Amino acid sequence: MSGLKGKKMREVDITRGIVEKHARDFYEILESDVVIVGAGPSGLVAGGYLAEAGRKVTVLEKKLAPGGGIWGGGMGYKYVITQDEARHVLEDFKIEFERVDTDLLAVDAIGLASGLISEAVKRGVRIFNLITVEDLMVSDGRVRGVVINNTFALMNNFPVDPLTIEAKAVVDATGHSHDIVRTLSEKNDVQLDTLTGKPMGERSLFAETAEKAVVTNTREVYPGLWVCGMSTAAVYGGYRMGPIFGGMLLSGKKLSGLLLDFLNESR
Ligand code: 48F
């Protein structure tokens, strides 16, 4: 590095390296093909496939660690389960698993979270943590991008104005909270593509039905805004499923296909 004058490590060069790299990355994603809100399993899988297909994908995560609800396994026991049907996604993301029943695979929760994050990044997904999506840009009946803020500023209720990222497609992958669809519905007089025109609310636990519905309900809920993963349950009135993750992986994969079709058509 040119900054290491006389072999002395200068702290300011470390800072310069970080600021320059961060600013360049951030500048490049200001106009993204797809912005995925939430770095849980469904968002990471969708992002990984989209980036592999050459799309400019940005994942925004409000917390410090991406990975969403994977890390804690089931009640802190360190495994999650997936159905055999989702095995090909595990294999695509180079995640190890062990068969525990005819149709069920056990996956180390930490291996799954770290593996999805690592593979998504290797494929070119830009993940930014500590950024909360607090609102959307909406005009002419369409979502045009996201309104973002520093998570710490929001946690402290500091009156800090936000910034914006434009995207051809925005994805609510925020899990149970369905933050993005909820915000769109609460702040605007809009009809969502649901039976009631509003988010319908998540139901209690019924794993098999829930897992199928997560994939079925992965779709565009309002022009420019798609839902995947657990937020589909809150938006379309689906059941929860507990620590089985095949539906999340398959939902992310389905979404990537829908978005690739959409992006190819809009070009
Ligand atoms: O909840 P989460 O893991 O989403 P998912 O992909 O997977 C659900 C499963 O983990 C689990 C389950 C399976 O049985 O039921 O719950 O649907 O990850 C959602 C991520 O979104 C982030 C949040 O911190 C989490 O990491 N998030 C939520 N709201 C925002 C956000 C927001 N407004 N801005 C940025 N990130």
Side-chain angles (χ1 to χ4, degrees):
M1 291 280 280
S2 61
L4 296 177
K5 286 172 190 148
K7 291 201 182 96
K8 255 188 114 223
M9 184 186 286
R10 293 179 67 208
E11 289 80 359
V12 74
D13 289 333
I14 299 172
T15 302
R16 187 177 292 114
I18 291 170
V19 172
E20 273 180 12
K21 274 296 290 167
H22 184 88
R24 203 176 311 146
D25 280 9
F26 197 65
Y27 189 81
E28 277 171 19
I29 58 96
L30 289 181
E31 292 175 54
S32 292
D33 286 330
V34 181
V35 165
I36 297 173
V37 188
S42 64
L44 290 168
V45 166
Y49 284 120
L50 284 161
E52 189 183 38
R55 291 301 176 169
K56 196 200 279 189
V57 189
T58 304
V59 174
L60 302 173
E61 170 54 52
K62 71 177 179 183
K63 293 189 178 156
L64 179 59
I70 305 173
W71 297 105
M75 205 189 78
Y77 290 19
K78 65 185 247 74
Y79 282 89
V80 296
I81 299 293
T82 78
Q83 316 71 327
D84 196 60
E85 196 190 344
R87 181 163 45 97
H88 66 284
V89 182
L90 294 174
E91 288 166 349
D92 281 351
F93 280 76
K94 304 176 186 72
I95 310 282
E96 303 215 346
F97 54 85
E98 201 181 308
R99 191 169 296 279
V100 288
D101 201 42
T102 324
D103 181 43
L104 299 180
L105 313 171
V107 190
D108 181 287
I110 294 170
L112 179 61
S114 60
L116 292 179
I117 296 164
S118 166
E119 188 61 22
V121 170
K122 278 186 202 146
R123 292 180 183 193
V125 178
R126 297 264 173 71
I127 305 177
F128 289 85
N129 59 350
L130 300 175
I131 290 184
T132 298
V133 174
E134 61 168 49
D135 207 342
L136 293 161
M137 290 189 284
V138 186
S139 61
D140 300 324
R142 184 170 190 86
V143 169
R144 311 258 170 205
V146 292
V147 178
I148 60 172
N149 215 327
N150 178 296
T151 295
F152 296 123
L154 293 173
M155 285 169 78
N156 287 296
N157 283 321
F158 290 155
V160 179
D161 261 322
L163 295 174
T164 55
I165 300 174
E166 206 174 278
K168 294 175 187 139
V170 173
V171 178
D172 185 333
T174 64
H176 297 275
S177 70
H178 67 296
D179 264 26
I180 309 309
V181 175
R182 189 165 40 79
T183 301
L184 174 73
S185 178
E186 283 174 3
K187 294 186 83 165
N188 303 278
D189 183 19
V190 295
Q191 283 283 114
L192 304 175
D193 181 26
T194 65
L195 283 176
T196 58
K198 304 271 170 213
M200 294 169 66
E202 182 187 300
R203 301 196 213 183
S204 291
L205 201 147
F206 183 0
E208 189 170 6
T209 304
E211 283 288 274
K212 290 198 177 100
V214 163
V215 182
T216 307
N217 292 327
T218 295
R219 61 171 88 143
E220 191 175 18
V221 64
Y222 185 78
L225 180 62
W226 278 256
V227 278
C228 70
M230 203 58 211
S231 67
T232 62
V235 172
Y236 288 100
Y239 291 94
R240 65 186 300 200
M241 71 290 293
I244 181 153
F245 277 69
M248 298 302 139
L249 307 180
L250 295 170
S251 166
K253 180 158 191 192
K254 176 182 171 185
L255 179 75
S256 67
L258 295 177
L259 288 179
L260 286 176
D261 288 347
F262 164 75
L263 292 168
N264 290 336
E265 280 164 20
S266 65
R267 283 249 148 151

